[in-house]
Amino acid sequence: MKIKKLILGRINNNTYIISNENSCIVIDPSMEYKKIIGYIKENDLKVEAILITHAHFDHVYSLYELVMDTGAPVYMHEDDFWLYEKSVEKLRTKEVDVQYPLKGGETLELIGEKIEVIHVPGHAEGCVCYIIDDNMFTGDFIFKGSVGRTDLPTSNQQDMNESLKKFTKIDRDLKIFCGHGDNSSYYEEMNNNPFLTGLK
């Protein structure tokens, strides 16, 4: 399994392309679509699925184009459908069907890998993390040394607190791939992230 991280757009979104042989999944197709589809074509990859961590506009920026070009199905938490509609209005693009609404707690089987879905509301109602092998894709839930904002209309501090408590119970040696910024690890965040150290 190979993980390609693309840093895209004016706010440095991380889009991830996870491939296994000639199949791949794309997590959070952001801005600069030509770079996303360019990598896919250059490596002769078939997009098996598109996974959304949450539906803020910068994380679904290129979703329409990617679906139109690849026909890949979309996975998104059902609590973010309304937010996706708002993002589509903001982007002035067209909405795509979400063929696989998520609730959290599912185990998906894609590109020959099992993918755990964890619902972590707080930054947005439908925030999810995806765990693939020993890799955790956190979107804007956990950052290196920080967490996602909770002062937005989509946010709820109490939900974030509960999600952070859920995170502390994972207790696995995971590499963490965030929606913005540098990579980290589960235990690095548990030991150094000020939003988590008091919850142990």
Side-chain angles (χ1 to χ4, degrees), residues 8 15 26-27 37 39 73 87 94 96 124 126 139 148 159 175:
L8 304 171
T15 290
V26 179
I27 298 180
I37 198 64
Y39 180 86
S87 293
K94 293 181 181 178
V96 300
D159 286 347
K175 299 171 188 173

Side-chain angles (χ1 to χ4, degrees), residues 63-120:
L63 180 58
Y64 176 77
E65 290 176 286
L66 187 58
V67 169
M68 290 301 102
D69 278 351
T70 66
V74 179
Y75 293 71
M76 181 190 298
H77 196 281
E78 61 186 12
D79 287 352
D80 259 14
F81 286 179
W82 72 271
L83 178 57
Y84 176 54
E85 290 177 4
K86 293 292 184 185
S87 293
V88 166
E89 290 175 11
K90 182 171 184 174
L91 295 170
R92 297 181 180 178
T93 185
K94 293 181 181 178
E95 193 172 339
V96 300
D97 291 333
V98 178
Q99 293 94 330
Y100 294 96
L102 301 172
K103 292 181 180 292
E106 298 92 342
T107 299
L108 313 176
E109 293 194 16
L110 298 165
I111 62 167
E113 301 285 345
K114 290 187 176 181
I115 303 173
E116 299 173 53
V117 182
I118 302 174
H119 185 207
V120 287

Side-chain angles (χ1 to χ4, degrees), residues 15 19 21 33 45 49 72 78 104 107 148 161 163 167 178 181:
T15 290
S19 56
E21 296 183 351
Y33 177 64
L45 297 173
E78 61 186 12
T107 299
N161 293 342
S163 294
F167 180 85
C178 312

Side-chain angles (χ1 to χ4, degrees), residues 109-154:
E109 293 194 16
L110 298 165
I111 62 167
E113 301 285 345
K114 290 187 176 181
I115 303 173
E116 299 173 53
V117 182
I118 302 174
H119 185 207
V120 287
H123 178 65
E125 292 177 26
C127 278
V128 296
C129 296
Y130 298 103
I131 298 179
I132 309 173
D133 195 14
D134 62 350
N135 308 291
M136 185 175 192
F137 298 86
T138 60
D140 288 1
F141 168 51
I142 295 282
F143 299 122
K144 184 179 176 67
S146 189
V147 298
R149 291 174 59 180
T150 56
D151 60 343
L152 303 171
T154 60

